[in-house]
Amino acid sequence: MHLALPKPIRHLWLPLVVLIPFVAAIWFRPLLPIDETRYISVAWEMFLRRDWLQPLTMNFEPYHHKLPLLFWLINASWAVFGVTRWAATLPVVLSSLASVYLTIALGRLLFSDFDRQADRTAMVMVASVPFLVYSTLIYFDLTLTVFVLLSLIGIVLYARKRDWRSVLLIGLSLGFGVLARGPVAFLHILFPIALAPLWADDLRRPGRWYLGILAALAIAGLIVLCWLVPVLMQADGKFTHSLLWDQTVGRATGTLNAHVRPFYFYLPLLPVMMIPWVFFPSFWKGAAALRQGWLKEEGTRFLFFWAAPTFLSFSLIGEKQPHYLMPLVPAVVLAVVLCLKNVPNRRLVLNMAVMVAAIVVGQAIASATFLKRYDLEPTAAYMRANRDRDWAFVANYHAEFGFLSRLEKPVDDVPPQRLAQWFASHPEGRAIVVGRNADDFSGYQLVMDSPYRGKRMGVLAARPLAVPSKAQPCHDNGSDAQTPACDKVASSD
């Protein structure tokens, strides 16, 4: 069922709606530390090197935690539009838009009468909480979602007709999915492949089916090797071990001790993935009807044998983050659309409008309130104006300022007990310290400070304070005068 719109607008409404959260994010929301600032800084260092096949770096040191595809896309966007924050976010926004279209394409493949549900699918997906939250964050998961959906489309096509083009589609999509997010891409398509005899209506010649899948895996492996081989030839043994072992087995088992969560962590997120539709009585009526006949239709069997075992597998993996489930959102969206068949279009339009407006208004309010605590721009601006100085960060630096300050040399990561020694070697340098009170800045000149995640982020200089003996935070008193402890740099609240 298409929206009753003029033809040109009917094709443009979805990109225009997706554009709204994008503009709101750029206008109201800072780059969020530490993830967004880190990833965009890794892309910035790739931009400085002008070489996409060298090992990734963070703070100009080898960075083996992520794969390169998103950084390539950001650099491609920068090559066209210039080095800006909005251009870095554009690949994620385009991935989110592509994921909507691909979800519709998958729905058309799975359900014979799905043409009537195309616009409704778009409305349900755009209005979903995961989409609105992650469609403008510089994360890897929506890029992965695009290639998971392409792989699944290839799997359905190949199950129905043994065509080498479907094998090629699976292999290419899976290869780029691995380059987007790592070997976890295999997990997202494992069960639709392995359980094909359970969901496919007529899986003829199963031997040829699995042989074709092996060929697709070989194609995916070749794509990954085109990046991996030149990178490993330039890397040392430690980088190789960390990339190939720690970031796969270590993350799956939780031995890296990063984001390790209990088994049930994802369970409360299931209803969140279906907001606001879970509040519709008609949704629950549709769900009851769908549950009664789901075994009879190939499409619903596919959704079940794709989503349920994949969700269970992610629950068994040690590391868990909400955005790891983004490639499963299309499965939830398609199931929700089937449950909302009797809901009129105007109600879906209204709910989409309310959800999009809520994310815009929410970011506008947040920008004037708690998001100020996450805005690194005041410190980054000072750092940018003093890039020629030596800089230290106390401590555990994650390249928060690489892109924001357009740095072209590393920041020293210094533990608190060695800060005095660092200043002795870099008397004209500056150090960034995050503290709760003036005692954390004592013994140094507090050049400027700004709020940061419930604390204060201060820029310190080596020159000892005259009075008072302990540093006091800089405060703007409404005039050009600053406290004696401050250089002529206004603080930001």
Side-chain angles (χ1 to χ4, degrees):
M1 188 180 305
H2 294 293
L3 294 177
L5 296 170
K7 224 172 190 180
I9 299 177
R10 189 195 308 163
H11 295 298
L12 288 176
W13 76 264
L14 178 57
L16 291 174
V17 171
V18 171
L19 187 66
I20 294 171
F22 172 48
V23 173
I26 299 300
W27 190 267
F28 294 119
R29 180 177 62 76
L31 285 168
L32 296 179
I34 58 176
D35 287 339
E36 276 199 298
T37 50
R38 174 173 54 207
Y39 300 148
I40 199 171
S41 291
V42 172
W44 164 248
E45 292 180 24
M46 178 184 285
F47 176 82
L48 292 176
R49 291 194 307 273
R50 310 284 181 179
D51 189 337
W52 293 12
L53 292 179
Q54 287 186 7
L56 299 174
T57 62
M58 183 189 78
N59 195 31
F60 302 93
E61 295 290 335
Y63 179 66
H64 48 71
H65 291 71
K66 300 298 177 186
L67 280 291
L69 184 60
L70 179 61
F71 307 120
W72 290 345
L73 294 174
I74 291 172
N75 273 268
S77 181
W78 282 343
V80 176
F81 301 108
V83 180
T84 60
R85 183 262 180 100
W86 74 263
T89 311
L90 186 61
V92 178
V93 176
L94 293 178
S95 294
S96 68
L97 182 61
S99 69
V100 178
Y101 286 122
L102 290 170
T103 300
I104 294 170
L106 181 60
R108 284 180 170 139
L109 268 180
L110 294 174
F111 305 100
S112 57
D113 61 344
F114 199 79
D115 272 344
R116 301 177 64 251
Q117 305 295 331
D119 285 339
R120 295 164 65 85
T121 302
M123 288 185 281
V124 169
M125 191 161 184
V126 169
S128 67
V129 170
F131 186 92
L132 289 172
V133 170
Y134 291 110
S135 63
T136 59
L137 287 172
I138 301 178
Y139 281 14
F140 304 83
D141 306 275
L142 271 163
T143 307
L144 172 61
T145 300
V146 169
F147 293 106
V148 167
L149 285 167
L150 284 170
S151 298
L152 294 172
I153 288 170
I155 288 168
V156 175
L157 290 172
Y158 190 61
R160 294 176 179 172
K161 183 181 179 182
R162 302 295 183 269
D163 189 335
W164 65 267
R165 288 171 294 186
S166 301
V167 172
L168 188 60
L169 176 59
I170 298 168
L172 290 173
S173 303
L174 182 57
F176 284 108
V178 173
L179 290 178
R181 195 68 173 84
V184 71
F186 290 105
L187 181 56
H188 281 287
I189 68 166
L190 171 63
F191 294 103
I193 289 173
L195 303 178
L198 299 179
W199 62 260
D201 278 340
D202 187 12
L203 192 70
R204 287 174 285 184
R205 295 178 290 177
R208 189 174 174 186
W209 156 262
Y210 288 109
L211 191 63
I213 295 300
L214 287 176
L217 293 177
I219 294 170
L222 286 174
I223 291 172
V224 176
L225 287 174
C226 287
W227 168 77
L228 188 61
V229 170
V231 164
L232 295 185
M233 289 175 65
Q234 302 171 73
D236 57 21
K238 182 180 179 182
F239 180 92
T240 302
H241 180 270
S242 297
L243 178 65
L244 298 181
W245 182 261
D246 290 346
Q247 298 305 318
T248 53
V249 177
R251 288 190 180 275
T253 59
T255 54
L256 291 182
N257 294 320
H259 315 304
V260 176
R261 320 276 192 181
F263 168 82
Y264 53 83
F265 175 77
Y266 287 132
L267 287 176
L269 298 182
L270 278 177
V272 174
M273 294 171 74
M274 292 182 279
I275 291 175
W277 318 113
V278 288
F279 301 116
F280 285 33
S282 52
F283 166 81
W284 294 106
K285 292 178 183 177
L290 185 66
R291 188 170 62 249
Q292 290 175 359
W294 73 273
L295 279 172
K296 298 177 183 177
E297 190 165 1
E298 182 184 63
T300 50
R301 291 197 305 271
F302 178 89
L303 293 180
F304 177 82
F305 288 116
W306 163 27
T310 304
F311 180 86
L312 180 61
S313 298
F314 273 89
S315 297
L316 293 172
I317 291 173
E319 282 200 20
K320 299 177 182 69
Q321 286 280 70
H323 51 88
Y324 292 176
L325 296 183
M326 274 306 299
L328 286 178
V329 168
V332 174
V333 166
L334 290 173
V336 169
V337 169
L338 296 176
C339 295
L340 295 175
K341 281 186 175 181
N342 296 323
V343 175
N345 274 0
R346 63 180 180 275
R347 193 169 181 189
L348 297 184
V349 171
L350 177 61
N351 277 273
M352 180 182 66
V354 168
M355 294 298 289
V356 172
I359 199 73
V360 173
V361 173
Q363 289 188 87
I365 294 172
S367 70
T369 53
F370 77 90
L371 278 181
K372 286 188 174 184
R373 296 177 291 177
Y374 294 86
D375 189 359
L376 296 177
E377 182 55 32
T379 304
Y382 179 87
M383 200 175 192
R384 197 160 52 239
N386 293 271
R387 279 181 294 182
D388 293 337
R389 295 183 185 271
D390 295 323
W391 282 87
F393 189 93
V394 183
N396 197 19
Y397 182 59
H398 288 274
E400 288 92 334
F401 295 97
F403 169 79
L404 289 175
S405 298
R406 306 298 195 271
L407 300 181
E408 298 185 13
K409 62 180 182 179
V411 173
D412 294 330
D413 199 330
V414 179
Q417 63 272 20
R418 296 187 59 190
L419 183 57
Q421 181 182 345
W422 185 87
F423 269 124
S425 302
H426 308 82
E428 298 301 318
R430 295 288 184 267
I432 298 173
V433 177
V434 177
R436 293 190 177 278
N437 51 56
D439 289 339
D440 295 314
F441 308 128
S442 62
Y444 306 97
Q445 180 181 356
L446 183 58
V447 177
M448 65 165 291
D449 80 325
S450 58
Y452 180 66
R453 300 174 75 170
K455 301 179 184 178
R456 305 294 296 183
M457 175 174 282
V459 175
L460 306 184
R463 188 168 69 248
L465 296 173
V467 284
S469 59
K470 292 185 178 181
Q472 300 294 327
C474 301
H475 295 292
D476 187 352
N477 60 11
S479 69
D480 291 336
Q482 301 289 331
T483 61
C486 300
D487 286 348
K488 194 156 180 79
V489 178
S491 68
S492 174
D493 282 328

